[in-house]
Amino acid sequence: MTIFDDLESEVRSYSRLWPVVFDRAEGSRLFSEDGRPYLDFFAGAGALNYGHNNAFLKQALLDYIVRDGVSHALDMSTVAKRDFLETFQDLLLTPRGLQYKVAFPGPGGANAVEAALKLARRVTGRQSVVSFTNSYHGMTLGALAVSGNAAKRAAAGVALTLTTAMPYDGYPGIGETGPRYLDRLLSDGGSGLDRPAAVIVETVQGEGGLRAADADWLRDLAGVCKRHEVLLIVDDVQMGCGRTGSFFSFEDAGITPDMVCLSKSIGGFGLPLALTLIRPELDVWKPGDHNGTFRGVSGSFVTGAQALRSYWSDGTLEKSTRERGERIAAALGAIAVEHPEAGLEVRGRGFAAGLRFATPGAARAVCVAAFENGLLMETSGAAGDVAKLLPPLTISDDDLDEGLDIIRTCVGPVLARSK
């Protein structure tokens, strides 16, 4: 481990939570170099919805490499990109009646967010953007400006401006919902709130404590945006690609955002890829207005297209995620019932679930204990008060039950020590 301490930057974080050297991975498990298996309820922070080294995706990638497929092409037209776009359109957009242009803004989720913010400002001619309490949209400056976490914002080193935070669904102490409050401010000439270019929102706040917005709340928000001619951006970087059940996390609310940000599992295999989906009439980019060297990694096109063909050509994965998501919620609910004095709260939706602890430090202690028992999971929330579960969507029932059992056995001792 000394090379990591000696040479790697102090900015690393996950390696501190899980102080082992990992060597290989398969399905829902990682293996350390000494061969110990770890059940993975982290899944690359949602970048591995289909598990590690998924056989379907790995074979497609190997075949592409063996035939000397183009590995790097910036935004040139390639067979791999064409196959991805055609598959994306045929299996996702057309069946859902969605019409979007696809921009490849760069390799990560923050790139997708930055592109959406930049385009919204160009389209509307306005500068400010409304975001929400406890939101998280990435670590670049524009994405940080619309994020709520104080510690992450402080790392920017400069003022983060041109944004206004509104209360997210269920924000404590707020009697009026965020959309209605926003509507009142935008309708009042004396409120001091200028009409923004866009509103950016997560349907479930992955890093913000796994708060899930109600469908009515999301519909109200979409209505307010339409009424005031403000663009609605849904950040689906972590919650998209089936994490909550439907491929897009906003589908159950019956809304159609003006822009959608996708990354993480859109490439299927854990390779970098990000998309910004844009309503066609908003696609006012001029050639080269937003570019970069790694706008579309060919290997990601290959595995991303194969993932769509393997898992989104019918409703099997969606049905499984919904049903087993209810099992996860029930298991976490049972843990909360076992410890009524602790005030535990079940959070999230689908395969993005969590358990909030009222006792400071308890969520992290549970994650540490879980690691000692062979399970990888992280905390969520500005105070790190939620133990967060992001299992692969393809995990077996036995592995899912094993992980949930480990969590249950860890919670009791942690709470007992914290009394």
Side-chain angles (χ1 to χ4, degrees):
M1 296 286 286
T2 56
I3 187 64
F4 304 108
D5 292 331
D6 293 345
L7 195 58
E8 192 177 2
S9 168
E10 294 300 314
V11 77
R12 65 192 187 280
S13 59
Y14 292 116
S15 59
R16 302 179 192 278
L17 180 60
W18 306 315
V20 298
V21 178
F22 294 105
D23 178 49
R24 62 187 185 88
E26 181 181 358
S28 56
R29 294 186 188 270
L30 281 155
F31 298 85
S32 62
E33 62 179 347
D34 63 2
R36 182 181 180 185
Y38 290 86
L39 191 56
D40 188 2
F41 272 27
F42 175 63
L48 294 165
N49 283 5
Y50 313 109
H52 295 273
N53 285 303
N54 181 289
F56 299 118
L57 313 187
K58 179 167 64 176
Q59 191 59 56
L61 180 60
L62 290 173
D63 290 344
Y64 185 77
I65 293 172
V66 167
R67 76 169 184 81
D68 291 329
V70 174
S71 63
H72 183 270
L74 288 97
D75 70 353
M76 292 183 282
S77 298
T78 64
V79 168
K81 184 198 285 188
R82 180 176 62 198
D83 182 47
F84 176 83
L85 286 171
E86 289 176 345
T87 306
F88 190 84
Q89 178 174 265
D90 293 345
L91 295 184
L92 295 182
L93 298 183
T94 299
R96 291 163 176 79
L98 298 174
Q99 293 185 333
Y100 288 119
K101 297 291 288 292
V102 180
F104 298 103
N111 299 104
V113 169
E114 294 284 358
L117 298 177
K118 183 175 174 181
L119 184 57
R121 286 168 170 142
R122 168 170 289 200
V123 168
T124 64
R126 305 174 217 132
Q127 295 186 337
S128 66
V129 174
V130 167
S131 58
F132 291 93
T133 52
N134 292 300
S135 59
Y136 176 74
H137 298 286
M139 295 297 284
T140 51
L141 291 181
L144 267 182
V146 291
S147 297
N149 186 292
K152 289 181 170 59
R153 289 174 63 90
V158 298
L160 300 172
T161 60
L162 300 176
T163 64
T164 301
M166 290 287 158
Y168 191 75
D169 193 15
Y171 190 74
I174 301 296
E176 192 167 27
T177 70
R180 293 176 186 172
Y181 182 51
L182 176 61
D183 191 24
R184 286 184 59 190
L185 292 177
L186 292 176
S187 300
D188 181 1
S191 71
L193 179 66
D194 294 327
R195 187 161 51 129
V199 169
I200 186 168
V201 67
E202 305 156 273
T203 65
V204 180
Q205 294 186 323
E207 303 303 316
L210 288 168
R211 294 171 172 84
D214 185 79
D216 286 339
W217 189 92
L218 290 169
R219 284 191 286 269
D220 284 347
L221 180 62
V224 170
C225 289
K226 184 175 182 179
R227 189 156 50 250
H228 293 280
E229 298 181 333
V230 173
L231 300 180
L232 176 61
I233 303 168
V234 168
D235 180 346
D236 236 1
V237 168
Q238 190 166 111
M239 295 302 151
C241 303
R243 178 56 56 179
T244 65
S246 56
F247 186 88
F248 297 105
S249 70
F250 55 82
E251 290 182 53
D252 289 346
I255 64 174
T256 303
D258 297 294
M259 300 185 203
V260 182
C261 302
L262 288 174
S263 186
K264 293 193 182 285
S265 281
I266 192 61
F269 201 65
L271 298 175
L273 183 64
L275 316 181
T276 303
L277 307 184
I278 308 160
R279 279 199 297 113
E281 58 269 34
L282 303 179
D283 186 24
V284 299
W285 293 121
K286 295 178 181 177
D289 270 354
H290 192 86
N291 56 23
T293 304
F294 295 102
R295 276 170 286 165
V297 177
S298 296
S300 302
F301 289 144
V302 171
T303 53
Q306 186 60 48
L308 296 180
R309 285 191 290 265
S310 298
Y311 296 103
W312 295 99
S313 59
D314 60 28
T316 301
L317 183 65
E318 178 175 344
K319 180 181 179 183
S320 169
T321 302
R322 290 184 186 277
E323 291 176 348
R324 298 195 297 164
E326 292 177 0
R327 283 178 50 196
I328 293 172
L332 296 180
I335 294 173
V337 170
E338 287 180 22
H339 306 280
E341 75 289 347
L344 303 180
E345 179 188 350
V346 178
R347 293 273 184 87
R349 196 166 89 227
F351 263 50
L355 200 57
R356 182 188 177 275
F357 292 78
T359 304
R364 181 174 178 82
V366 167
C367 292
V368 170
F371 171 73
E372 294 169 351
N373 284 273
L375 175 67
L376 305 180
M377 55 188 297
E378 65 167 337
T379 61
S380 175
D385 55 352
V386 177
K388 178 182 180 184
L389 290 68
L390 290 178
L393 309 186
T394 54
I395 191 172
S396 69
D397 287 338
D398 288 344
D399 283 355
L400 181 60
D401 290 340
E402 178 185 340
L404 292 170
D405 285 341
I406 291 173
I407 295 170
R408 182 182 58 79
T409 60
C410 292
V411 169
V414 166
L415 291 176
R417 292 196 301 268
S418 64
K419 288 182 179 178

